[in-house]
Amino acid sequence: MNKYPLAKIMLANPIRRNILGNNSNGETLMQYAKAVKDVANNLGVNCIDLYNESGLNPQIPINKNTYFATNDNTHPNDKGQLKMYPCFKEWLLKS
């Protein structure tokens, strides 16, 4: 931030995944998504809340079948990328 003071900086938290439960640190993906938002807030930068606002959730069968790669149900396919686009577009237009 000091090196490029005119740069527009944002963070984005992760989308929902097909993995439930805790990671090796005992934290959930929801906690991680909130932590990214907290870091952005502490740094005074915007955070794109993909976890809550992208509309991507592989736990919903129709959503999983439409927007996620069939081999892992974690990574968005082309349609999933397009579904996330409005979240980034909104940030780009207001920056």
Side-chain angles (χ1 to χ4, degrees):
M1 292 170 57
N2 294 330
K3 188 172 182 179
Y4 301 102
L6 299 179
K8 302 290 184 186
I9 299 171
M10 67 85 180
L11 298 177
N13 61 13
I15 61 173
R16 294 172 188 259
R17 305 273 169 81
N18 199 32
I19 302 167
L20 299 175
N22 299 354
N23 65 14
S24 60
N25 293 324
E27 298 163 335
T28 65
L29 187 61
M30 182 187 300
Q31 290 172 308
Y32 182 77
K34 183 184 179 310
V36 173
K37 287 175 66 173
D38 291 345
V39 168
N41 187 51
N42 289 340
L43 294 173
V45 299
N46 291 322
C47 180
I48 297 176
D49 188 0
L50 295 174
Y51 186 84
N52 292 303
E53 297 176 10
S54 69
L56 296 173
N57 185 349
Q59 298 301 317
I60 301 169
I62 189 75
N63 198 290
K64 175 177 78 171
N65 295 333
T66 303
Y67 300 118
F68 288 87
T70 57
N71 60 339
D72 70 2
N73 298 315
T74 296
H75 297 93
N77 61 21
D78 290 345
K79 288 180 182 178
Q81 297 289 335
L82 288 173
K83 186 141 179 80
M84 286 191 299
Y85 170 71
C87 298
F88 289 95
K89 180 181 176 184
E90 180 181 332
W91 179 81
L92 288 168
L93 291 175
K94 71 179 179 181
S95 294

